[in-house]
Amino acid sequence: MKKIYLHFFRILIFYIVLFAFARIFFLLFNYTQEASFSLIKALPAFIPGMRMDLSVIAYALLPALLLTGIFLLRPYKWIIKAEYYYLFFILFIFCLILPANILLYHYWGSLINFRALSYLKDISEISSSFTISQMIILLFFLSLFILSTMVFFRKLVFQFLQPVSGSPLIKSIHWLVLVFISTILLRGGLQMLPMNESLVSVSDNNFVNQTAVNPAWHLANDIYRAGLFSGNPFETTPQADAEKKVKNLFSCNADSFPHILTSNRPNIVIIILESFTADIV
């Protein structure tokens, strides 16, 4: 079972280092957004940020952990391949999110969110913001980052699952230990409330707090809050009843409006001035 623990421990350390480097580049690339920026002030973002990083890693490794549990009891070869492709797929997604978050914050001043993803529907809107040379340079460095990260992960970090000895009961117990550890990590600890952005906001400087937030966690939470995976949260009344109530609200009777003016057809002029305050008017 030592091999299984080392298998996940190596992946865990790899992602901690990867997210830490991404946080450093985030600071170096966007420090101009904060006039009072200093590296000393930004250091508190790394430890709480690592707490959220561990939560993201635990969520990402849940399918791999499930495959490992099956593999411990039935070491099928397809499980080895499935975990291999899944881990590289997840790494590819992270390699897209991390640079995109750095670049997006530089131009928008906000972390990557669902609104940014919505622009992917029309690639022309994105390409119009960059020149051809900027697009070429951006794609070159993005490809270089993805390729080098995946090569490093494949050569120095990843190891294929290997069958382990022991009774099914012992294997199940060890697997449950891994599940228990993962549960604690994805919750962000044993506190009452699960992981949220307030747990990593430890500074009175908003830039430092946003540096601590893991962009993958922020994006997933923003997509969830957008209501993409649930129904309309505002639909609390049956459609027929809602239409009936709205019809009654808009019904016009003879006594619906009080008569203030003496004329039934007054000459009313409406002047609309945008951005004019009452004092100026």
Side-chain angles (χ1 to χ4, degrees):
M1 287 301 301
K2 182 180 178 181
K3 297 178 182 178
I4 301 298
Y5 284 105
L6 288 175
H7 177 77
F8 284 100
F9 180 75
R10 292 163 66 93
I11 298 175
L12 194 70
I13 296 300
F14 167 79
Y15 275 113
I16 290 176
V17 175
L18 177 65
F19 290 142
F21 271 107
R23 196 165 280 116
I24 292 174
F25 278 103
F26 179 87
L27 289 170
L28 296 178
F29 198 76
N30 294 308
Y31 74 92
T32 54
Q33 303 279 355
E34 178 59 42
S36 60
F37 170 80
S38 68
L39 188 59
I40 301 300
K41 290 183 179 180
L43 289 179
F46 282 81
I47 300 302
M50 187 183 300
R51 186 180 181 184
M52 182 172 280
D53 294 343
L54 290 171
S55 177
V56 171
I57 299 168
Y59 273 110
L61 293 181
L62 280 178
L65 188 62
L66 178 61
L67 290 172
T68 302
I70 301 174
F71 180 81
L72 289 175
L73 301 177
R74 294 289 187 272
Y76 299 121
K77 291 183 179 181
W78 68 266
I79 296 179
I80 300 176
K81 293 183 179 180
E83 192 213 29
Y84 174 81
Y85 289 115
Y86 171 76
L87 290 178
F88 274 88
F89 171 75
I90 289 298
L91 179 57
F92 177 76
I93 297 299
F94 283 141
C95 287
L96 292 178
I97 293 176
L98 296 178
N101 179 67
I102 296 173
L103 196 63
L104 191 70
Y105 192 89
H106 184 76
Y107 289 102
W108 284 10
S110 64
L111 300 176
I112 186 170
N113 49 34
F114 170 71
R115 185 165 64 96
L117 292 185
S118 64
Y119 284 98
L120 294 177
K121 295 179 180 179
D122 189 359
I123 302 298
S124 62
E125 293 187 12
I126 301 176
S127 59
S128 61
S129 302
F130 300 93
T131 63
I132 296 178
S133 59
Q134 288 176 332
M135 287 291 295
I136 293 175
I137 295 173
L138 179 63
L139 292 176
F140 171 77
F141 281 104
L142 179 61
S143 301
L144 182 63
F145 171 69
I146 294 175
L147 181 62
S148 58
T149 303
M150 287 192 167
V151 169
F152 181 86
F153 181 75
R154 177 65 182 86
K155 297 293 184 181
L156 301 178
V157 179
F158 179 78
Q159 291 181 344
F160 288 98
L161 289 173
Q162 299 178 9
V164 295
S165 58
S167 65
L169 178 61
I170 297 298
K171 292 179 181 179
S172 299
I173 292 175
H174 283 287
W175 182 75
L176 290 175
V177 171
L178 287 173
V179 172
F180 177 74
I181 296 174
S182 297
T183 304
I184 295 177
L185 292 179
L186 64 86
R187 288 194 77 259
L190 297 174
Q191 71 283 346
M192 182 176 65
L193 295 177
M195 174 56 64
N196 57 77
E197 293 187 19
S198 63
L199 292 178
V200 300
S201 299
V202 295
S203 174
D204 56 357
N205 189 307
N206 186 54
F207 179 63
V208 175
N209 290 332
Q210 289 187 312
T211 302
V213 175
N214 186 287
W217 192 96
H218 184 271
L219 176 61
N221 184 60
D222 195 67
I223 292 175
Y224 172 76
R225 290 182 179 275
L228 300 182
F229 305 109
S230 59
N232 189 346
F234 301 103
E235 286 187 359
T236 58
T237 305
Q239 186 68 21
D241 295 343
E243 291 178 354
K244 183 178 179 181
K245 291 181 179 179
V246 171
K247 186 177 180 180
N248 292 333
L249 289 174
F250 283 93
S251 62
C252 183
N253 301 319
D255 58 347
S256 296
F257 303 99
H259 289 276
I260 301 175
L261 304 176
T262 57
S263 174
N264 292 328
R265 298 179 61 85
N267 183 21
I268 299 175
V269 179
I270 299 176
I271 301 175
I272 301 176
L273 299 177
E274 184 180 357
S275 302
F276 270 62
T277 64
D279 295 336
I280 296 177
V281 173

